[in-house]
């Protein structure tokens, strides 16, 4: 209705059609009108005011929202269509109010009010929870008194060992519900003592627990990490015959059977994602159950099982899980896969449906017709297993998400490798139209992999339940099925990039065991039997064809693979060296393993073990505005926690492998990169790993220390502690000086003084300390049997090879090719030349040199000197030095760029002065590569041991493919693409030198094998027993001299000229005067 409030200010309240036209605001005065109509009120006041106005009067209609009235064309009065038949003024103006800016004080008051409302809501919720809990307890006591009055309880009424069912009596059923609700509430709030008391009272009242009750109790015990309570409740599940509880439970999973029938997984126990205290796994049960003295045939059988086709084994395992679920429900043996098995059948069915769709002749989708034959290369069961395993292994390693492009690449690699292993041979298409094991086109890879990934995202779901949301009447916990993975688009470096991450619901449900299993591949474990000798490029290493069977990691270069298989190359020496390295037996150091596991159980965070608990992330205060420092600290905390998660995954895998192999000797099969450098194939635990990995490893063969073994153990301890730039006698004195701390470290590694934690390599320091103390405490240290490796490392080995090639006298002395009383430090040598230049420029009055006086040390220029071997540019050197100046805060920010450029030029000039021959060789190699690559040909050469090397660098063109998931930019990896001229040029010098250091290592390994030494290597770090260090030192020097007395550069020049007879190559730079035979007398050449 319309009503009048004022003759001057009219406030209409228009409903229906007019209601959408009005709003509320502050009225604005019109300079022309004497009457102001406010539309916040409505009624006849509008009509009366306008009808009674004098002719020519102008009215202002104040619209609170500021929105214009709707009016017919040609009508100046916006109210005319609202009041038909009423004589209204012909002109009514609409005033839109100006918005007044909000002041800081008003904003602060608004925030305070919002905070107060939030606190009040939290208080009310907490009060409601307590009220609910108190009410539930009161109601429960009333029910129990009523039950006792109606049916007096005798001692025989307590049926704690009877089959558990929900009572039929209404009062008992209600009491049962209140008991379960209270148990769930207390368990969720961490009050396990009260929850257990209620559980005991529940049984004493003759109300046997249900599966829901025990599930709530186990959830609480898991959160409290109360292993004793967990074991007790699991025993109660068995005691109360869990099968009888099935009808009482709510369905807790989506249908997973092949015929889509609904299925109860019986009981689901949510376990928080905490990393385990002690690694344990049932992946290698056969290995764990094998006695340490098992025969070779028994070990061979175990090794074959470990290498068995993981996809076939997992498919069979998942199918058996489904059958188990159909018959007896979820047993203890299924806990490991309690989430993953739910995904297997839905994903398999979805893939099977897609395979049927792409094979249909009536399909009009051109894309499906193209990639369809490839999708049918493997069974849907195998494709499902491979997709689940690949995605889980990546997204669990980084909870922030994995880029879609990387996931697609890994899914394709897994599918293709399985196809190659299961269907060896090369055909393009068979009669049925199925694709072969050849490399697939890039677009097909993207389509197939994205289809599998999308199907997994759509079908993988996890159960999400709220322990507090318990229905007393139905006796059920409210649950829902939520997605396990989420696909999202983020802006990374200004470009859109797709990511897949796990959802919080999945994180809440997955177990630590599931994390390890998802990241674990038993095919890539160290071998428990000697590897198969390499006799061909595709025959050697692991026993079966399901694991890595290529001698080289090709980096996508088919030319390299074809050249390597050419029978014109004699790879006999290469095979022999790899076989010797692969056949060195290793064992786990029990002292280090137990100490690491104890440190991990205590929470980690020492040595290179990451902490098991994340850093606290600063919370956002809605009242107080946050400054830049707050957001920086918040970002750092989140970034550090992401890194911690990745490090924890690696630590868990390393500990798991060590735990599995603790009672057996094992072997690391080796293969090569494209430059000829040898690498162990097992990825998680090997001698090239971090400090903890190296500390965990010992040679299986033990040898008496002899006369010099104790001496080298003391030097090794000084080296790993970080005291490695002094003469050997001073290193021995350092160890003897700290003998009391060393003994304390061995006797109380975690509870004592913990001196070993101050070492550069703490776990290796502790391992050497243990070996040294045990030897000294033995009756005869000379006869003590030691299996600990002692390392001898090259002194900036790349520059050593360059100095030997160029004959640089000054450079050779700086990298210890020449004898000296004290070990030389090339970084100190370069920084000495740099400081001389700074002093000279400062005396000449150069401001930037004056500001740098006394501030440039070894650390500032170390990275630039190291990367000079790899052809670092002036821009790269400037960035490296600027980073060091910034970290050390040596100069004001506005001076860093100029100072870093000055130092970069000075450092590179000093290196040229010190290694004049090396720089000329680098330049010559780069020119040769540029000449070859300009002809669209890759640079190729043969190492002194006969290994052919082809640089794989090409200008890959990105191709955008629109898949079911997102658009994917793909790089074609074929040898038909043009070579990358700049990359071929810049990479040739370092790659050539790497092929030389690989050759030196192989020559040394072959000579050590002939002398009966145990030998292992990490590129330019050579390992052997303490008693044989002197012999190995003599051998490695002899082999270095033998290698470089060959005309290496002349042979390379002839080879390039032979392969490219029409191209002009510059002559080899002249060599300096350094005598290579001085290396034989250099005590610190390797140290």
């Amino acid at each position: 209705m319309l009503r009048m409030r004022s003759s001057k200010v009219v406030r209409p309240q228009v409903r229906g059609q007019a209601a959408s036209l009005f709003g509320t605001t502050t009225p604005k005065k019109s300079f022309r009108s004497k009457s102001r109509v406010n539309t916040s009120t409505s009624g006849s006041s509008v009509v009366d005011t306008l009808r009674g106005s004098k002719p020519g009067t102008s009215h202002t209609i104040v619209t609170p929202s500021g929105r214009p009235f709707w009016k017919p064309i040609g009508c100046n009065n916006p109210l005319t269509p609202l009041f038909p038949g009423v004589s209204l003024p012909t002109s009514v103006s609409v005033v839109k109010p100006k918005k007044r800016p909000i002041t800081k004080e008003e904003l602060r008051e608004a925030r305070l009010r919002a905070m107060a409302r939030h606190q009040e809501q939290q208080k009310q919720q907490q009060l409601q929870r307590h009220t609910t809990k108190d009410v539930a307890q009161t109601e429960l006591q009333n029910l129990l008194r009523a039950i006792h009055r109606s049916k007096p309880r005798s001692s025989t009424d307590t049926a704690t060992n009877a089959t558990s069912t929900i009572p039929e009596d209404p009062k008992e059923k209600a009491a049962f519900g209140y008991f379960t609700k209270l148990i769930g509430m207390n368990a969720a709030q961490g009050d396990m003592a009260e929850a257990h008391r209620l559980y005991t009272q529940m049984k004493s009242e003759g109300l046997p627990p249900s599966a829901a009750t025990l599930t709530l109790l186990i959830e609480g015990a898991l959160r409290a990490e109360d292993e004793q309570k967990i074991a007790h409740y699991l025993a109660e599940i068995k005691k109360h015959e869990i099968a009888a509880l099935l009808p009482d439970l709510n369905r807790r999973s989506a249908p997973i059977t092949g015929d889509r029938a609904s299925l109860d997984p019986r009981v689901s126990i949510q376990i928080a994602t905490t990393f385990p205290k002690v690694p344990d796994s049932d992946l290698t049960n056969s290995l764990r159950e094998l006695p340490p003295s098992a025969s070779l045939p028994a070990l061979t059988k175990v090794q074959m099982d470990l290498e068995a086709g993981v996809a076939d084994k997992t498919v069979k395992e998942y199918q058996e899980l489904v059958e188990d679920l159909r018959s007896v429900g979820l047993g203890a043996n299924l806990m490991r896969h309690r989430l993953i098995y739910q995904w297997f059948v839905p994903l398999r069915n979805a893939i099977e449906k897609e395979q049927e769709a792409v094979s249909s002749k009536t399909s009009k989708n051109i894309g499906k017709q193209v990639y369809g034959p490839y999708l049918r290369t493997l069974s849907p069961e195998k494709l499902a297993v491979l997709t689940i395993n690949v995605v889980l292994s990546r997204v669990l390693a980084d909870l922030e998400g994995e880029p879609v492009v990387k996931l697609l690449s890994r899914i394709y690699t897994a599918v293709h490798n399985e196809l190659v292993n299961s269907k060896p041979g090369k055909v393009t298409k068979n009669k049925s139209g199925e694709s072969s094991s050849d490399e697939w086109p890039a677009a097909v890879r993207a389509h197939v992999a994205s289809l599998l990934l999308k199907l997994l995202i759509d079908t993988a779901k996890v159960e999400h339940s709220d322990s507090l949301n318990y229905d007393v009447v139905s006796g059920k916990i409210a649950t829902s099925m939520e997605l396990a993975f989420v696909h999202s688009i983020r802006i990374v470096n200004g470009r859109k990039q797709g990511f897949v991450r796990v959802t919080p619901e999945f994180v809440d449900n997955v177990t630590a065991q599931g994390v390890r299993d998802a990241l674990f591949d038993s095919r890539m474990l160290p071998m428990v039997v000697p590897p198969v000798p390499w006799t061909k490029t595709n025959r050697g290493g692991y026993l079966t064809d399901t694991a890595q069977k290529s001698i080289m990691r090709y980096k996508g270069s088919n030319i390299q693979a074809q050249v390597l298989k050419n029978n014109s190359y004699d790879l006999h020496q290469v095979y022999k060296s790899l076989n010797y390295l692969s056949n060195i037996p290793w064992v786990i150091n029990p002292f280090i393993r137990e100490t690491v596991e104890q440190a991990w159980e205590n929470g980690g965070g020492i040595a290179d073990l990451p902490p098991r608990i994340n850093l606290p992330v600063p919370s956002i205060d809605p009242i107080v505005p946050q400054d830049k420092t707050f957001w920086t600290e918040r970002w750092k905390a989140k970034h550090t926690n992401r890194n911690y998660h990745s490090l924890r995954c690696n630590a868990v895998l390393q500990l798991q492998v060590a735990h599995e192999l603790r009672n057996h000797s094992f072997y690391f099969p080796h293969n090569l990169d494209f430059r000829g450098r040898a690498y162990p194939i097992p990825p998680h635990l090997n001698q090239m790993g971090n400090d903890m990995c190296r500390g965990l490893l010992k040679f299986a063969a033990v040898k008496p220390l002899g006369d010099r073994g104790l001496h080298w153990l003391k030097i090794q301890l000084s080296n790993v502690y970080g005291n490695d730039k002094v003469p050997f006698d001073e290193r021995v004195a350092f160890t003897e000086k700290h003998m009391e701390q060393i003994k304390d470290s061995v006797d109380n590694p975690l509870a004592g003084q913990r001196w070993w934690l101050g070492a550069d390599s703490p776990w290796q320091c502790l391992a050497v300390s243990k070996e040294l103390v045990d030897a000294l405490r033995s009756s005869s240290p000379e006869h003590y049997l030691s299996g600990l490796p002692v390392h001898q490392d090259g002194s900036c080995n790349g520059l050593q090879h360059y100095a030997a090639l160029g004959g640089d006298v000054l450079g050779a002395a700086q990298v210890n090719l020449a004898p000296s009383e004290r070990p030389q430090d090339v970084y100190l040598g370069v920084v000495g030349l740099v400081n001389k230049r700074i002093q000279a420029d400062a005396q000449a009055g150069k401001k930037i040199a004056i500001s740098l006086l006394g501030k440039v040390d070894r650390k500032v220029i170390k990275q630039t000197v190291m990367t000079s071997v790899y052809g670092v540019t002036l821009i790269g050197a400037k960035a490296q030095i600027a980073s060091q100046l910034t970290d050390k805060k040596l100069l004001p920010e506005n001076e860093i760029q100029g100072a870093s450029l000055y130092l970069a030029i000075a450092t590179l000039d000093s290196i040229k002065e010190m290694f004049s021959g090396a720089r000329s060789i680098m330049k010559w190699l780069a020119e040769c590569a540029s000449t070859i690559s300009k002809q669209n040909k890759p640079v190729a050469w043969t190492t002194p041991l006969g290994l052919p090397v082809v640089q794989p660098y090409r200008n890959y063109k990105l191709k955008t493919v629109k898949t079911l998931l997102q658009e994917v930019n793909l790089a074609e990896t074929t040898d038909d693409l043009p070579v990358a001229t700049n990359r071929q040029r810049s990479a040739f010098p370092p790659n050539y030198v790497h092929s030389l250091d690989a050759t030196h290592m192989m020559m040394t390994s072959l000579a050590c094998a002939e002398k009966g030494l145990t030998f292992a290597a990490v590129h330019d770090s050579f390992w052997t027993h303490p008693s044989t260090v002197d012999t190995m030192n003599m051998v490695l020097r002899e082999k270095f001299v033998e290698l470089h007395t060959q005309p290496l550069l002349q042979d390379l020049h002839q080879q390039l000229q032979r392969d490219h007879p029409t191209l002009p190559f510059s002559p080899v730079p002249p060599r300096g005067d350094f005598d290579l035979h001085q290396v034989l007398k250099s005590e610190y050449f390797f140290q």
Side-chain angles (χ1 to χ4, degrees):
M1 298 295 295
L2 299 176
R3 53 192 176 86
M4 186 74 171
R5 280 195 179 183
S6 171
S7 59
K8 292 292 183 180
V9 179
V10 184
R11 306 178 182 276
Q13 291 181 351
V14 184
R15 294 187 182 130
Q17 179 184 6
S20 62
L21 304 178
F22 298 103
T24 57
T25 190
T26 305
K28 181 176 180 179
K29 183 177 180 181
S30 172
F31 294 103
R32 295 182 58 199
S33 70
K34 296 181 180 180
S35 176
R36 183 173 58 184
V37 179
N38 193 319
T39 58
S40 61
T41 308
S42 82
S44 59
S45 59
V46 177
V47 178
D48 295 340
T49 301
L50 296 178
R51 181 180 286 168
S53 62
K54 296 180 180 180
T57 303
S58 177
H59 293 272
T60 299
I61 305 297
V62 182
T63 60
S65 66
R67 292 179 294 179
F69 282 97
W70 173 86
K71 59 182 180 179
I73 297 177
C75 179
N76 293 326
N77 193 334
L79 299 181
T80 299
L82 301 180
F83 306 102
V86 180
S87 176
L88 300 175
T90 58
S91 177
V92 180
S93 62
V94 178
V95 179
K96 183 176 180 179
K98 290 184 179 180
K99 293 184 178 180
R100 183 175 61 82
I102 301 175
T103 65
K104 290 185 178 180
E105 186 64 26
E106 290 175 335
L107 181 61
R108 182 176 178 277
E109 291 178 358
R111 285 177 173 172
L112 287 172
R113 288 195 298 270
M115 189 65 180
R117 285 196 302 270
H118 178 67
Q119 292 176 348
E120 183 64 25
Q121 289 174 359
Q122 286 186 325
K123 187 182 297 183
Q124 292 296 331
Q125 291 174 358
Q126 186 176 7
L127 180 62
Q128 184 178 4
R129 283 197 298 268
H130 285 297
T131 303
T132 305
K133 189 174 178 180
D134 293 339
V135 169
Q137 289 176 336
T138 303
E139 291 295 329
L140 176 60
Q141 296 302 322
N142 293 336
L143 283 170
L144 291 178
R145 282 194 291 269
I147 292 171
H148 295 163
R149 285 194 301 268
S150 61
K151 188 176 74 171
R153 182 170 57 92
S154 65
S155 60
T156 59
D157 290 336
T158 303
T160 58
N161 58 352
T163 299
S164 301
T165 57
I166 294 179
E168 296 181 358
D169 181 76
K171 293 180 181 179
E172 292 183 352
K173 184 175 182 179
F176 172 86
Y178 278 119
F179 266 120
T180 304
K181 182 173 184 177
L182 287 168
I183 288 173
M185 295 176 73
N186 283 283
Q189 295 170 6
D191 191 354
M192 284 304 298
E194 178 63 17
H196 187 73
R197 186 196 68 77
L198 288 166
Y199 171 66
T200 304
Q201 183 184 1
M202 181 180 184
K203 292 194 298 180
S204 67
E205 295 292 344
L207 302 173
S210 69
T213 310
L214 289 167
T215 299
L216 294 171
L217 287 166
I218 292 177
E219 286 175 349
L222 285 166
R223 280 190 289 267
E225 296 187 357
D226 192 335
E227 297 179 0
Q228 188 175 5
K229 285 282 195 303
I230 295 172
H232 173 73
Y233 297 137
L234 288 175
E236 289 288 291
I237 288 178
K238 296 179 181 179
K239 179 179 178 181
H240 289 280
E241 299 178 11
I242 189 65
L245 304 178
L246 301 179
D248 304 339
L249 290 180
N250 188 19
R251 297 180 185 272
R252 299 174 66 99
S253 71
I256 65 170
T257 57
D259 57 0
R260 303 184 183 277
S262 121
L263 185 65
D264 285 324
R266 315 305 187 186
V267 62
S268 176
I269 301 174
Q270 297 179 6
I271 303 178
T273 315
T274 56
F275 285 85
K277 293 182 178 179
V278 179
D280 197 13
S281 172
D282 57 358
L283 291 173
T284 53
N285 277 333
S286 55
L287 177 61
R288 189 185 309 130
E289 295 169 0
L290 205 63
S293 59
S295 62
L296 183 60
L299 288 170
T300 303
K301 183 179 182 303
V302 170
Q303 183 64 40
M304 296 286 285
D305 290 341
L306 293 177
E307 295 179 24
V310 171
D312 291 326
K313 181 179 178 181
T314 312
V315 166
K316 181 180 179 182
E317 187 178 72
Y318 285 178
Q319 289 174 337
E320 290 176 352
L321 290 176
V322 173
E323 293 301 323
D324 287 344
L325 287 169
R326 285 174 177 164
S327 57
V328 298
L330 181 62
N333 62 318
L334 307 183
M335 286 300 295
R336 189 179 118 219
H337 300 283
R338 65 183 188 86
L339 289 176
I340 300 175
Y341 82 87
Q342 297 180 25
W343 307 341
F344 171 66
V345 174
L347 180 58
R348 181 200 64 188
N349 293 340
I351 295 173
E352 188 174 19
K353 185 177 180 180
E354 284 292 331
Q355 288 181 333
E356 293 173 356
V358 298
S359 63
S360 174
K361 296 182 180 180
T362 60
S363 176
K364 297 181 180 180
N365 190 316
I366 303 299
K368 289 186 177 182
Q369 294 177 8
V370 173
Y371 70 78
Y374 295 88
L375 184 62
R376 300 199 307 271
T377 53
L378 290 176
S379 67
E381 289 82 6
K382 280 191 177 182
L383 291 174
V385 166
L386 293 170
T387 305
I388 291 172
N389 288 344
V390 168
V391 175
L392 272 180
S393 67
R394 300 311 307 166
V395 297
L396 287 179
D398 186 356
L399 296 182
E400 290 297 312
E402 179 77 0
V404 169
V405 174
K406 290 185 178 181
L407 276 178
L408 299 185
S409 176
R410 291 180 181 276
I411 291 173
Y412 163 73
T413 301
V415 172
H416 188 262
N417 288 345
E418 186 65 28
L419 178 62
V420 171
N421 294 330
S422 60
K423 298 180 180 180
K426 284 193 173 183
V427 282
T428 54
K429 294 259 183 95
N430 56 28
K431 294 182 180 180
S432 63
E434 292 184 350
S435 175
S436 73
S437 58
D438 290 331
E439 286 289 338
W440 298 358
V444 171
R445 301 179 201 175
H447 279 299
V448 173
S450 63
L451 172 64
L452 295 174
L453 180 57
K454 186 177 187 304
L455 293 178
L456 176 62
I457 293 173
D458 293 342
T459 58
K461 297 183 178 181
V462 291
E463 183 186 61
H464 180 61
S465 62
D466 185 359
S467 301
L468 297 179
N469 192 2
Y470 180 81
D471 191 336
V472 176
V473 178
S474 64
K476 299 176 181 179
I477 300 173
T479 62
S480 61
M481 298 304 296
E482 305 291 343
L483 291 175
F485 304 102
V486 172
H487 171 245
S488 60
I489 303 295
R490 303 179 199 164
I491 304 298
V492 180
N493 296 328
R495 305 179 71 177
K496 291 183 179 180
Q497 189 172 355
F499 284 82
V500 172
R501 62 175 177 83
V502 292
T503 60
E505 290 78 14
F506 177 77
V507 174
D508 290 340
N509 280 270
V510 71
T511 65
Q513 181 65 51
V515 174
R516 294 200 309 273
D517 294 349
L519 300 173
F520 195 81
D521 188 349
S522 63
R523 291 178 298 178
M524 294 304 175
L525 278 174
M527 298 179 65
V528 294
V529 295
V532 176
W534 289 104
T535 55
K536 296 182 180 180
T537 57
N538 61 350
R539 181 56 184 162
Y542 286 97
L543 303 183
T544 65
D545 292 333
T546 58
Q548 173 63 254
K549 296 301 296 182
S550 176
I551 197 174
M552 184 172 284
R553 307 172 186 196
Y554 296 114
K555 292 180 73 69
S557 175
N558 292 327
I559 293 179
Q560 175 79 73
Q562 293 169 5
V563 169
L564 197 62
K565 293 176 183 178
N566 193 328
N567 293 328
S568 61
Y569 293 96
D570 182 10
L571 301 179
H572 172 72
Q573 293 290 86
V574 175
Y575 291 155
K576 189 175 179 181
S577 175
L578 278 182
N579 293 335
Y580 174 66
L581 294 172
S582 301
N583 278 273
I584 299 297
W586 300 81
V587 292
I588 297 297
N589 188 327
F591 173 72
I592 298 299
R593 180 185 65 80
E594 292 169 4
T595 306
V596 171
E597 289 184 358
Q598 183 61 46
W600 183 247
E601 184 175 343
N602 293 344
I606 66 170
D608 59 357
L609 270 181
R612 291 173 61 189
I613 300 175
N614 280 343
L615 293 177
V617 178
S619 57
I620 301 174
D621 191 333
I623 303 301
V624 181
Q626 284 78 31
D627 56 9
K628 183 179 179 181
T629 303
F630 169 84
W631 293 110
T632 301
E633 293 300 321
R634 180 179 170 84
W635 178 87
K636 286 182 179 179
K638 296 177 70 174
H639 181 71
T640 302
N641 289 339
R642 287 197 297 269
N643 291 338
Y644 279 162
H645 179 79
S646 179
L647 292 172
R648 290 180 197 122
C649 290
N650 290 333
V652 166
L653 288 171
Q654 292 162 359
L655 287 173
Q656 181 177 352
V657 175
H659 195 76
E660 298 291 345
L661 297 171
R662 65 191 183 278
N663 296 324
H664 302 276
S665 60
F666 49 90
Y667 304 82
F668 297 127
H670 284 62
N671 65 358
L672 307 170
D673 70 1
F674 76 97
R675 301 163 301 186
R677 282 188 149 190
Y679 290 85
I681 298 175
H684 305 309
L685 181 68
N686 57 60
Q687 78 272 22
M688 290 190 182
N690 58 15
D691 172 51
M692 185 181 75
C693 287
R694 298 185 184 190
L696 284 167
L697 295 175
K698 294 179 71 174
F699 291 132
V702 293
K703 295 183 179 181
L705 288 178
D707 297 333
R708 297 271 294 172
L710 202 64
H711 171 80
W712 282 112
L713 279 179
K714 294 177 180 179
I715 292 175
Q716 171 75 357
L717 195 150
S718 179
N719 286 345
V720 296
Y721 199 87
N723 186 50
D724 56 348
K725 302 296 186 295
V726 297
F728 287 140
D729 291 343
E730 293 184 21
R731 300 184 205 183
V732 172
F734 171 86
T735 299
E736 292 175 346
K737 177 183 176 182
H738 294 90
M739 192 56 66
E740 290 302 318
Q741 293 97 321
I742 294 170
K743 292 179 180 178
D744 177 76
S745 297
V746 173
D747 296 335
N748 300 287
L750 300 178
Q753 302 175 25
R754 308 208 295 183
W755 171 83
W756 60 279
L757 288 177
D760 287 353
S761 304
W763 294 114
Q764 293 179 78
C765 176
L766 186 60
V768 184
S769 298
K770 173 66 173 175
E771 200 79 357
L772 179 62
V773 170
D774 286 353
L776 292 173
R777 289 174 176 174
S778 67
S779 57
S780 175
E782 294 79 9
H783 295 92
Y784 177 79
L785 298 177
S786 174
L788 188 83
V790 171
H791 315 162
Q792 294 289 276
D793 301 346
S795 302
C796 200
N797 193 238
L799 285 176
Q800 285 181 323
H801 283 281
Y802 269 124
L805 286 171
D808 291 315
V809 176
L810 179 59
Q814 291 296 324
V815 291
N816 293 300
L817 293 187
S820 60
E821 293 183 0
R822 299 181 67 86
Q824 299 300 306
D825 187 342
V826 63
Y827 309 112
L828 288 177
V830 173
V831 81
L833 293 177
V834 171
N835 281 322
K836 284 182 181 179
R837 182 168 177 169
I838 292 174
Q839 290 174 1
D841 289 344
Q843 291 176 359
K846 200 168 186 178
K847 291 183 179 180
I848 196 167
I850 296 173
S851 64
L852 288 171
L853 276 174
K855 297 179 180 179
V856 180
D857 58 11
R858 178 180 184 272
K859 189 174 182 180
V860 172
I861 54 89
K862 180 177 180 180
Q863 187 179 10
T864 303
V865 176
M866 289 176 62
T867 54
S868 65
V869 181
Y870 308 108
V872 66
T873 63
L874 177 62
I875 296 175
K878 175 179 175 291
Q880 293 169 348
I881 294 175
S883 175
Q884 291 296 327
L885 293 177
T886 302
D887 292 344
K888 296 171 73 70
K889 299 180 180 179
L890 297 176
L891 295 171
E893 288 188 7
N894 59 345
E895 297 181 13
I896 285 178
Q897 292 302 317
S900 61
L901 178 60
Y902 172 83
L903 286 177
I905 295 172
T907 302
L908 294 178
D909 288 346
S910 299
I911 295 173
K912 290 179 182 178
E913 178 184 345
M914 186 176 294
F915 298 94
S916 57
R919 298 301 299 182
S920 62
I921 292 172
M922 291 182 194
K923 182 179 179 181
W924 178 77
L925 290 172
E927 290 175 352
C928 291
S930 180
T931 302
I932 296 170
S933 60
K934 285 180 180 178
Q935 305 301 314
N936 196 29
K937 295 181 179 179
V939 179
W941 70 98
T942 304
T943 69
L945 285 183
L947 181 71
V949 180
V950 181
Q951 292 195 148
Y953 314 116
R954 295 185 177 272
N955 285 325
Y956 300 125
K957 293 183 179 179
L958 291 179
K959 179 181 180 181
T960 301
V961 179
K962 189 172 183 180
T963 68
L964 291 172
L965 197 63
Q966 66 174 58
E967 288 187 353
V968 179
N969 291 325
L970 300 176
E972 291 282 356
T973 57
T974 67
D975 292 322
D976 298 330
L977 294 169
V979 299
T981 303
N982 291 336
R983 186 72 193 280
Q984 292 278 346
R985 173 189 173 93
S986 62
F988 184 35
N991 284 342
Y992 178 72
V993 171
H994 281 319
S995 71
L996 292 183
D997 71 43
T999 300
H1000 176 228
M1001 186 278 295
M1002 288 186 177
M1003 293 172 64
T1004 304
S1005 69
L1006 293 173
C1008 288
E1010 291 178 359
K1011 293 182 177 294
L1013 273 64
T1014 299
F1015 177 86
V1018 181
H1019 302 318
D1020 62 343
S1021 177
F1022 298 167
W1023 299 11
T1024 191
H1025 284 93
S1027 59
T1028 56
V1029 173
D1030 293 307
T1031 305
M1032 183 186 72
N1033 274 331
M1034 178 186 67
V1035 169
L1036 67 89
R1037 286 162 174 76
E1038 291 175 350
K1039 292 305 171 182
F1040 186 86
V1041 173
E1042 180 183 334
L1043 172 65
H1044 282 281
T1045 50
Q1046 302 177 45
L1048 296 176
L1049 296 180
Q1050 288 76 10
D1051 290 347
L1052 176 64
H1053 183 269
Q1054 292 177 10
Q1055 180 185 346
L1056 297 179
Q1057 196 70 65
R1058 183 176 63 253
D1059 294 341
H1060 309 279
T1062 61
L1063 298 181
F1065 293 101
S1066 303
V1068 175
R1071 190 181 181 279
D1073 299 327
F1074 177 71
D1075 181 9
L1076 276 171
H1077 289 86
Q1078 292 189 56
V1079 173
L1080 300 174
K1081 303 175 183 178
S1082 176
E1083 189 176 15
Y1084 300 108
F1085 169 56
F1086 269 57
Q1087 52 180 311

